[in-house]
Amino acid sequence: MPKPNRRRKRGAADEDAADGNSSSNNKRLVASVLTSLDVNDDPRLFQLSGARRHSVEVEEDEDEDEEVTGGGSTAAAPSGQSPHQQRRLWVKDRSRAWWEQCSSADYPEADFRAAFRMGRATFAMLCDALGAAVAKEDTALRAAIPVRQRVAVCVWRLATGEPLRLVSKRFGLGISTCHKLVLEVCAAIRNLLMPRFLRWPDTDAAADFKARFEADSAIPGVVGAIYTTHIPIIAPKVSVAAYFNRRHTERNHKSSYSITLQGVVGPDGAFTDVCIGWPGSMPDDQVLDRSALQQRAAAGMMAGSWIVGGASFPLTDWVLAPYAQPNLTWAQHAFNEKVAELRGVGVEAFARLKGRWACLQKRTEVKLQELPVVLGACCVLHNICESRGEVMDPGLRCELGDDETVPENPVRSESASKARDDIAHNLLHSGLAGTKFF
């Protein structure tokens, strides 16, 4: 019996010594890179009771060490002294000077617009619309990040496409905190603002769209221009071949992976329909076949309307595509010229979309399954900026590098083929065609 007791005492002494050394080393390591803040000295920090310590959500990333020290039981506190006065919080010392400068009233409007791609009035409207969805309550550990800063983190990340480490330095927040804020705000934009700012035109709006498109092109019945672009991604771990973009790889001499973003644009350059997330190896006509737009057409909701597309789209009863065969007649040339002008509305909208939100030009850190939410938020923010007259710096415009491939079955409807021939004939013989082909 005595031997086991001696072994236990010796082992306990060794453990105590090891714990003491480890604790001492850890504190010295933390103290060398972190700032010690006393809870009672900083009004932004709040006391954390032992009962709630594990239930409070901490918005920090894995490289941000923090330590709460002091008495664990309130009963052990000396008489007349607060049981939490000995607790100390270790946090990284980050500067929020840049954000505080941007949010000040005397910050130049031009600089604010350059940073966030929108003016203060539009940004304030965005914060008001999202406030209830993204606001958080103060916890026992710290004050909640304000709504304006939450929205600003997301918008600046989308606008610049900068990596999360730079976003963290700009706003004085943790890296994982910034990542979480981007996803939360993008989800709120999709859930709250997409139904308001990105929707298919109703009967009156469709009639207005048709009149405006016809005034510009003399082609009747057009309600939108369709285009498909590719968003670069990091090679996924599953189904990698499906996301391999062969055409971009051949042109850039570098392996490229992407997902598709198909959109329909009205005459004002705003999106009325988007289809996001199909693999980059899928051609435009197959993306169209799998979109909600195709389902809308199958339900008879596109009757009497045209969507104008490029050569990568098939001619159907509701998709108006250019002639793709060689040796075109003058009437077919005239038709293709007008279709190119209409399609240019969609191309220009995508060029502004990618230019305004530079995150669409770079391989993102966002996971593949979360990317459609981010892309959808970019489309909604584009519509908000367009509807509020936010002028984009022409130098930000992105030159699109999407290649078009003619579908295997370019003509899917004989009635649509006849309707296209009639439109081409009327354009030429009514003096409504251009003269570029003469």
Side-chain angles (χ1 to χ4, degrees):
M1 292 298 293
K3 288 184 179 179
N5 288 337
R6 285 197 296 271
R7 280 198 295 269
R8 281 198 298 271
K9 290 179 181 179
R10 190 183 306 114
D14 293 340
E15 290 174 2
D16 291 341
D19 291 342
N21 292 336
S22 175
S23 176
S24 176
N25 292 336
N26 287 340
K27 289 182 179 179
R28 283 198 298 269
L29 176 62
V30 171
S32 65
V33 294
L34 302 178
T35 301
S36 174
L37 298 176
D38 191 275
V39 174
N40 296 320
D41 294 338
D42 194 329
R44 297 174 301 171
L45 305 178
F46 296 85
Q47 300 175 124
L48 178 62
S49 65
R52 294 189 57 196
R53 183 183 305 172
H54 300 291
S55 65
V56 176
E57 180 182 359
V58 181
E59 295 181 336
E60 290 295 337
D61 53 298
E62 62 276 3
D63 66 343
E64 298 173 63
D65 300 321
E66 54 179 59
E67 181 181 273
V68 179
T69 62
S73 172
T74 57
S79 176
Q81 181 180 359
S82 171
H84 303 293
Q85 285 181 352
Q86 295 179 356
R87 295 177 183 267
R88 301 176 70 82
L89 179 68
W90 297 87
V91 296
K92 271 192 175 180
D93 186 15
R94 287 189 173 93
S95 173
R96 302 187 181 183
W98 182 83
W99 164 240
E100 291 173 356
Q101 182 183 13
C102 286
S103 57
S104 64
D106 57 350
Y107 192 69
E109 178 74 13
D111 293 345
F112 187 94
R113 181 173 283 104
F116 298 99
R117 306 297 191 263
M118 61 181 69
R120 277 197 182 86
T122 300
F123 182 78
M125 182 277 293
L126 190 63
C127 293
D128 292 341
L130 300 176
V134 303
K136 303 292 183 181
E137 295 183 357
D138 295 343
T139 68
L141 181 64
R142 66 190 65 207
I145 301 171
V147 170
R148 284 178 56 84
Q149 189 174 7
R150 290 173 177 270
V151 176
V153 167
C154 178
V155 174
W156 193 82
R157 161 78 163 150
L158 300 181
T160 63
E162 295 291 354
L164 289 170
R165 286 199 172 273
L166 294 184
V167 181
S168 171
K169 291 180 180 179
R170 286 278 184 176
F171 290 90
L173 300 172
I175 294 175
S176 65
T177 299
C178 293
H179 179 65
K180 184 166 67 172
L181 290 180
V182 171
L183 296 181
E184 287 179 354
V185 175
C186 284
I189 291 173
R190 180 197 62 181
N191 296 334
L192 296 180
L193 301 186
M194 183 174 281
R196 289 174 51 190
F197 292 97
L198 200 161
R199 57 187 178 184
W200 191 253
D202 57 20
T203 302
D204 294 338
D208 178 65
F209 283 9
K210 291 178 182 180
R212 293 170 63 183
F213 274 124
E214 185 172 2
D216 294 335
S217 66
I219 298 180
V222 176
V223 295
I226 190 170
Y227 184 81
T228 301
T229 191
H230 288 254
I231 309 300
I233 62 172
I234 298 173
K237 296 180 180 179
V238 294
S239 304
V240 62
Y243 293 91
F244 180 71
N245 192 314
R246 179 179 55 81
R247 295 184 297 276
H248 285 196
T249 298
E250 292 174 350
R251 184 174 63 250
N252 300 327
H253 306 289
K254 182 168 121 179
S255 295
S256 298
Y257 301 86
S258 65
I259 67 171
T260 60
L261 169 54
Q262 173 192 282
V264 179
V265 177
D268 54 357
F271 292 98
T272 57
D273 181 90
V274 291
C275 178
I276 305 170
W278 290 104
S281 64
M282 191 175 291
D284 295 354
D285 60 320
Q286 293 184 22
V287 175
L288 177 66
D289 292 339
R290 291 162 174 79
S291 66
L293 193 61
Q294 176 66 46
Q295 298 176 11
R296 185 181 292 114
M301 300 173 64
M302 297 297 296
S305 300
W306 291 109
I307 299 292
V308 173
S312 59
F313 290 92
L315 177 68
T316 70
D317 290 330
W318 56 280
V319 178
L320 195 59
Y323 293 95
Q325 72 270 19
N327 303 320
L328 301 180
T329 66
W330 281 7
Q332 292 169 343
H333 272 294
F335 176 84
N336 282 6
E337 181 182 317
K338 288 298 183 181
V339 165
E341 292 177 0
L342 290 177
R343 176 177 171 271
V345 176
V347 174
E348 182 61 28
F350 271 92
R352 293 198 303 275
L353 172 74
K354 281 190 165 184
R356 181 177 274 130
W357 311 114
C359 66
L360 304 180
Q361 305 175 34
K362 306 176 182 180
R363 296 189 302 175
T364 179
E365 298 164 316
V366 178
K367 294 180 181 179
L368 186 61
Q369 60 269 27
E370 297 169 340
L371 197 52
V373 176
V374 176
L375 303 187
C378 290
C379 294
V380 174
L381 291 176
H382 167 87
N383 281 9
I384 292 175
C385 291
E386 294 289 315
S387 65
R388 294 179 63 89
E390 295 286 353
V391 179
M392 189 185 76
D393 182 356
L396 296 175
R397 186 184 183 278
C398 176
E399 293 296 331
L400 303 178
D402 301 300
D403 301 310
E404 289 189 337
T405 56
V406 178
E408 295 182 2
N409 183 17
V411 179
R412 298 185 181 179
S413 170
E414 290 300 326
S415 60
S417 179
K418 183 180 183 306
R420 181 173 66 176
D421 291 341
D422 291 341
I423 294 173
H425 180 272
N426 292 335
L427 286 174
L428 182 65
H429 295 281
S430 301
L432 300 174
T435 58
K436 293 181 181 179
F437 56 90
F438 288 114

